[in-house]
Amino acid sequence: MKVKVDGDGNGAPPSAAAAMVNVAVAVKSAEGKGSQRAVRWAVEKLLPKAHRFFLIHVMPTITAIPTPSGRSIPVNELDDNVVEMYIEDMRAKCKEIFIPFKNLCNRKSVETVVLEGDNPATMLLQYVTQAGINTLVLGSSSPSYFSRRQKDSGVPSVILKHAPESCDVYVVSSNGLLKNSLSPLLPTETEVHTINQQESNVSYAAMEFNRRASSLPNFTHLNSPAFAHGNSSIHFRSQQRYKQNVEEFTAGPEVVKGGHSSTCSEQSDIQAEMERMRLELQNTIAMYNQTCEHLIHAQNKVQLLSSECIEEARRVNAAQKREESLRKTAAEAKKKHVETEKEVMIARKLLAEEACERQIAELKALQQSLEKQKVVNALMSCDGRYRRLTREEIEVATDFFSDSKMIGEGGYGKVYKGNLDHTPVAIKILHPDASQKKEEFLREVEVLSQLHHPNIVLLLGASPENGCLVYEYMENGSLEDYIFQGKNRPLPWFVRFRILFEVACGLAFLHNSKPEPVVHRDLKPGNILLDKNYVSKIGDVGLAKIMSDIVPESITEYRDSIIAGTLAYMDPEYQRTGTLRPKSDLYAFGIIALQLLAACHPKGLIMKFEKAIVSDSLADVLDKSVVDWPLIEAEELAKMALQCCKLRCRDRPDLETEVLPLLKKLSEFAEMHVKSEKNLIQAPSQYFCPILQEVMESPHIAADGFSYEHRAIKAWVDRHNVSPVTKQRLQHKMLTPNHTLRLAIQDWKSHL
């Protein structure tokens, strides 16, 4: 490859191709003067015409990663993620090199490239070829680069030699500009001047030699054998030769001055001798400089070894102190170990004693647990008191717990309406996370499975392992829905009288249960449910308590127990003392009776009725939605309810001997009123059962095609094979519910 030198350093690249002009500048470091010089020259000469301008840096290939101790670990011995992180860090540091050069370019579109390889020249040539670079600029920090161009060992030399013909290469130094070209390489005026200046500096170096020799530091402490027998002899001979040459050199002018009178032959000999002395002086100076450099290097090495020796001594001392400290720690640990072994022996003895006691306690607990389990198994077994259901049956009945089937949500679960064996049922599901309600659930199963009364909600089935109770479905919801008169029609007064009598009958049954009475503890309108015929039944006995010992009413006893129930319906004496009696339910019953009369919230209700009775204005507090209240009977009921709401249990009336007779009289009075009203309205003939001759409640179709009351036709077919109407033989004894007729009868009754 041929090169051309531009002496003035202002050369510019040839005309750019019509398509694209790509200029790249190779930089080594941010502090390098050669790189700064190259970037400045490229910005000034090439950047205005370039379409794309690149800054390129070649990063050495990472073969090892240094450690804090000064060692290096090969990358093949490290994890790939660690090596990748280290390479990314090095790339980031390399990219920081471009920051000052970008500032020189003052152009946001400058692109930066980081190459990785051990041979910068090869990497740059590959990138130039692949990226289609038109112009490549390199910097040279040495001002005498042009005098060393024959070595062909530097990056600029290799690139100038092997650069493709499509790429112009510029090497910028402090003394000139070198460019690959077809013309021969010629020295510039600057280079000629530099060479002459270097030759003239030789005489100055002779005078400077003596000064540097006098300022050379004392290296007598370097007494290694190699140095004493090697470099010291060179240093001595160099000094002798230096003195001899200086004497001859200084005597040169005298010989020259006397040469005017000598022959031309002598003048030639003197000049030859001076030239020889000059060359020898140059060699001596070079040898002396080299020796000085070796001595300085040796001195630095000795200082480094000395500091390392001091550091190593410090480490040894620290290790000895640490070893002594560890010895003391080990001795203390051994002492503690001996003490600990003694404590362990004592602890083992205690542990053996405790293990024995624990085994005895576990046996007792196991025995108690087995007894409890027997009780639970007896409770949860399929013993005929209720039907035991599987989870699959519950899921089918509730359409897999569909939201459309949910009819309510209680304190510990949701209530769904379902169909079980073609019968509508209410299914109460315990929340999975309501573990604290498990006791209430089991109590409700225990109580309801033992109680069967027309005015207590019937438990049809249960699934204790799934936390599920199945009740008979109460079509008309709870009494609370009618007291506060939401979307339901207000109840007539005679229905209210009958409901109170039915609730009182249910309470009397609970309080007289054998062998021990049951107290509901949470009687309120929300727990009194109404079936399709508005027959009331007491439900939600989860808080019911079986009373094993009843405190006499004449004794006030304070007990430390958990109060359960709803505050507005809670017995004040039970709330104050914790003593629970059957008459505690009577207080709630009195509040409910007053609510049925006034159809309002229980707050302040007792005082309102007391004032109304005293002032003879009971009609003002009665429910205005009922226009035909029997005032005499209503006043009797109000006075009885107020007696039930007395603060002390001993002041409340007896449920069986005082409350029930009055409520029975009021219920009979209401029934007579209903019958007198019904006499005015005759039901259609198809609504009557052919057997019982009364309006049917659950009509079923038999094999003869006629509809009968279910209980009547079932009893008939169990004893006869013929139809009760046609007297013809029945083809089968299957009974089919007549839902259409039942709905028609219910609709007729609702308009009464």
Side-chain angles (χ1 to χ4, degrees):
M1 179 182 293
K2 297 181 181 181
V3 297
K4 180 179 74 173
V5 177
D6 294 337
D8 56 357
N10 294 326
S15 300
M20 185 72 79
V21 176
N22 298 330
V23 178
V25 182
V27 296
K28 184 176 182 182
S29 65
E31 296 81 10
K33 295 183 179 179
S35 298
Q36 295 178 0
R37 188 181 301 111
V39 173
R40 287 194 185 96
W41 183 87
V43 169
E44 181 183 354
K45 301 296 182 181
L46 304 177
L47 182 59
K49 300 179 181 180
H51 293 87
R52 299 179 69 184
F53 193 80
F54 297 88
L55 295 177
I56 306 176
H57 175 75
V58 182
M59 181 182 73
T61 303
I62 305 298
T63 58
I65 296 178
T67 63
S69 61
R71 296 174 56 250
S72 296
I73 303 176
V75 294
N76 54 9
E77 298 180 6
L78 294 172
D79 185 65
D80 294 341
N81 294 331
V82 176
V83 175
E84 185 66 23
M85 290 175 60
Y86 180 76
I87 293 176
E88 290 298 326
D89 290 343
M90 294 304 296
R91 285 182 175 275
K93 291 180 180 180
C94 291
K95 290 182 179 179
E96 292 177 359
I97 296 174
F98 297 119
I99 295 176
F101 299 118
K102 285 184 175 181
N103 295 333
L104 291 175
C105 297
N106 195 19
R107 178 175 175 180
K108 295 182 179 178
S109 60
V110 174
E111 302 178 40
T112 59
V113 179
V114 177
L115 305 177
E116 185 176 353
D118 293 328
N119 192 330
T122 304
M123 297 305 297
L124 289 171
L125 289 173
Q126 290 179 359
Y127 182 77
V128 165
T129 304
Q130 296 174 0
I133 300 300
N134 306 107
T135 305
L136 177 64
V137 181
L138 302 96
S140 176
S141 59
S142 175
S144 58
Y145 166 75
F146 299 104
S147 63
R148 296 184 286 107
R149 62 181 177 273
Q150 298 299 330
K151 294 182 181 180
D152 292 336
S153 60
V155 174
S157 300
V158 175
I159 292 178
L160 286 170
K161 184 176 181 180
H162 298 284
E165 294 183 0
S166 61
C167 179
D168 295 333
V169 180
Y170 293 87
V171 180
V172 182
S173 68
S174 59
N175 293 330
L177 178 70
L178 187 64
K179 174 181 179 298
N180 61 336
S181 177
L182 297 175
S183 60
L185 182 62
L186 299 176
T188 62
E189 293 179 2
T190 305
E191 185 178 0
V192 174
H193 174 70
T194 303
I195 296 173
N196 294 334
Q197 185 177 1
Q198 290 176 352
E199 292 178 352
S200 64
N201 288 339
V202 175
S203 59
Y204 173 75
M207 293 182 291
E208 189 69 17
F209 179 79
N210 191 23
R211 183 183 64 80
R212 293 178 60 183
S214 61
S215 62
L216 187 66
N218 185 12
F219 297 103
T220 57
H221 62 284
L222 302 176
N223 52 3
S224 62
F227 183 82
H229 295 86
N231 294 337
S232 59
S233 60
I234 298 173
H235 177 258
F236 177 72
R237 289 195 302 271
S238 299
Q239 286 186 343
Q240 285 184 337
R241 185 175 299 172
Y242 163 72
K243 292 179 180 179
Q244 181 181 358
N245 292 338
V246 169
E247 291 176 357
E248 292 176 358
F249 187 75
T250 53
E254 297 294 335
V255 176
V256 176
K257 291 180 182 178
H260 292 289
S261 57
S262 62
T263 61
C264 294
S265 173
E266 294 174 350
Q267 269 187 345
S268 298
D269 293 339
I270 291 171
Q271 291 179 355
E273 184 66 17
M274 290 179 61
E275 182 65 22
R276 184 186 64 77
M277 290 174 62
R278 185 179 66 80
L279 295 175
E280 188 172 356
L281 179 61
Q282 289 181 353
N283 293 334
T284 302
I285 292 172
M287 292 176 63
Y288 178 76
N289 290 336
Q290 185 177 4
T291 303
C292 290
E293 292 177 357
H294 288 168
L295 289 174
I296 294 171
H297 177 69
Q299 184 188 27
N300 293 337
K301 190 171 183 179
V302 168
Q303 291 178 353
L304 179 61
L305 291 175
S306 176
S307 62
E308 290 180 355
C309 181
I310 294 172
E311 181 66 21
E312 189 67 26
R314 187 187 64 79
R315 291 178 182 175
V316 170
N317 292 335
Q320 290 177 350
K321 293 180 180 178
R322 189 164 57 253
E323 182 182 3
E324 185 66 24
S325 176
L326 291 176
R327 287 181 185 275
K328 293 180 180 179
T329 304
E332 294 176 357
K334 185 175 181 181
K335 183 179 179 181
K336 291 181 180 179
H337 178 68
V338 174
E339 296 176 354
T340 304
E341 285 184 345
K342 294 180 181 179
E343 294 177 356
V344 168
M345 294 298 295
I346 298 173
R348 284 179 178 174
K349 293 181 181 179
L350 294 175
L351 182 61
E353 296 175 359
E354 291 178 358
C356 183
E357 294 177 357
R358 186 174 66 251
Q359 288 178 355
I360 296 173
E362 287 177 352
L363 290 175
K364 292 181 179 179
L366 180 60
Q367 186 176 1
Q368 295 176 357
S369 177
L370 291 175
E371 293 176 357
K372 290 182 178 179
Q373 188 64 35
K374 288 180 182 178
V375 176
V376 174
N377 290 339
L379 175 65
M380 296 186 176
S381 61
C382 186
D383 56 0
R385 291 182 297 179
Y386 64 92
R387 175 181 175 184
R388 190 156 186 161
L389 302 171
T390 63
R391 184 171 181 84
E392 290 74 16
E393 290 177 310
I394 297 170
E395 289 176 347
V396 172
T398 60
D399 288 344
F400 295 91
F401 308 108
S402 172
D403 291 340
S404 62
K405 293 284 186 178
M406 190 174 71
I407 58 176
E409 188 168 3
Y412 59 84
K414 297 180 179 180
V415 181
Y416 295 87
K417 180 183 177 182
N419 285 292
L420 197 62
D421 297 335
H422 306 288
T423 302
V425 293
I427 302 174
K428 182 187 293 186
I429 306 295
L430 184 69
H431 282 310
D433 56 346
S435 58
Q436 69 277 8
K437 299 291 185 178
K438 190 72 174 179
E439 184 178 353
E440 294 182 20
F441 171 82
L442 294 176
R443 184 184 295 113
E444 190 161 0
V445 174
E446 180 184 4
V447 173
L448 288 178
S449 62
Q450 300 175 8
L451 303 178
H452 296 282
H453 189 270
N455 299 119
I456 294 179
V457 175
L458 179 63
L459 178 67
L460 300 177
S463 178
E465 57 275 6
N466 296 309
C468 171
L469 294 174
V470 179
Y471 304 97
E472 58 177 322
Y473 180 67
M474 307 297 284
E475 288 87 344
N476 286 314
S478 69
L479 186 60
E480 184 179 23
D481 300 333
Y482 294 89
I483 289 178
F484 296 108
Q485 297 181 11
K487 56 186 178 181
N488 296 322
R489 293 188 305 122
L491 295 173
W493 63 267
F494 48 84
V495 175
R496 303 188 192 198
F497 284 8
R498 178 173 52 82
I499 288 174
L500 286 174
F501 175 66
E502 292 168 347
V503 173
C505 291
L507 279 180
F509 176 78
L510 290 176
H511 294 170
N512 292 307
S513 297
K514 303 297 181 181
E516 295 171 345
V518 177
V519 179
H520 191 284
R521 287 203 298 177
D522 195 24
L523 187 66
K524 58 183 179 180
N527 291 335
I528 298 174
L529 306 177
L530 304 176
D531 68 3
K532 59 185 178 181
N533 296 321
Y534 293 94
V535 176
S536 59
K537 298 187 180 185
I538 300 173
D540 199 0
V541 295
L543 293 178
K545 188 171 183 179
I546 300 174
M547 302 299 297
S548 58
D549 54 339
I550 300 177
V551 180
E553 296 178 7
S554 60
I555 299 176
T556 301
E557 181 177 306
Y558 293 86
R559 295 190 176 185
D560 185 13
S561 61
I562 299 176
I563 304 299
T566 305
L567 188 60
Y569 304 91
M570 192 180 298
D571 177 13
E573 187 169 321
Y574 169 56
Q575 185 178 355
R576 179 170 54 89
T577 65
T579 303
L580 188 65
R581 297 183 177 90
K583 282 191 176 181
S584 298
D585 287 340
L586 202 57
Y587 179 87
F589 178 79
I591 297 293
I592 295 172
L594 295 178
Q595 281 190 276
L596 279 174
L597 290 172
C600 63
H601 195 272
K603 185 177 181 181
L605 200 57
I606 297 176
M607 187 177 297
K608 182 187 296 185
F609 270 89
E610 288 177 346
K611 292 181 180 179
I613 292 176
V614 170
S615 61
D616 196 18
S617 59
L618 181 63
D620 296 337
V621 297
L622 294 177
D623 185 8
K624 298 298 187 295
S625 62
V626 178
V627 295
D628 56 344
W629 279 105
L631 294 181
I632 297 175
E633 287 76 10
E635 185 174 354
E636 285 186 77
L637 180 59
K639 289 180 179 180
M640 183 273 298
L642 290 174
Q643 288 295 321
C644 293
C645 296
K646 292 294 183 180
L647 294 179
R648 296 187 304 178
C649 285
R650 69 184 70 172
D651 298 332
R652 297 170 194 162
D654 184 73
L655 179 60
E656 287 192 56
T657 61
E658 299 179 57
V659 177
L660 271 177
L662 174 62
L663 292 176
K664 184 178 180 181
K665 184 185 73 170
L666 294 177
S667 177
E668 291 174 351
F669 174 76
E671 187 175 353
M672 290 176 58
H673 176 77
V674 172
K675 285 183 179 180
S676 62
E677 292 289 336
K678 283 186 176 180
N679 290 333
L680 301 177
I681 303 175
Q682 182 64 33
S685 60
Q686 63 268 25
Y687 292 175
F688 288 89
C689 174
I691 299 175
L692 302 177
Q693 293 300 317
E694 62 182 26
V695 177
M696 293 180 285
E697 293 184 357
S698 179
H700 279 63
I701 303 174
D704 59 357
F706 289 89
S707 294
Y708 303 88
E709 178 64 30
H710 180 259
R711 55 188 174 86
I713 189 61
K714 181 170 177 50
W716 175 274
V717 297
D718 287 342
R719 291 177 294 179
H720 303 89
N721 293 327
V722 297
S723 168
V725 177
T726 63
K727 305 302 180 179
Q728 300 293 326
R729 184 177 181 84
L730 295 174
Q731 298 294 330
H732 55 79
K733 293 187 177 183
M734 293 179 58
L735 302 176
T736 305
N738 192 340
H739 296 294
T740 305
L741 182 58
R742 180 174 60 85
L743 293 174
I745 294 172
Q746 289 179 359
D747 182 66
W748 174 78
K749 286 183 177 181
S750 66
H751 290 85
L752 293 179

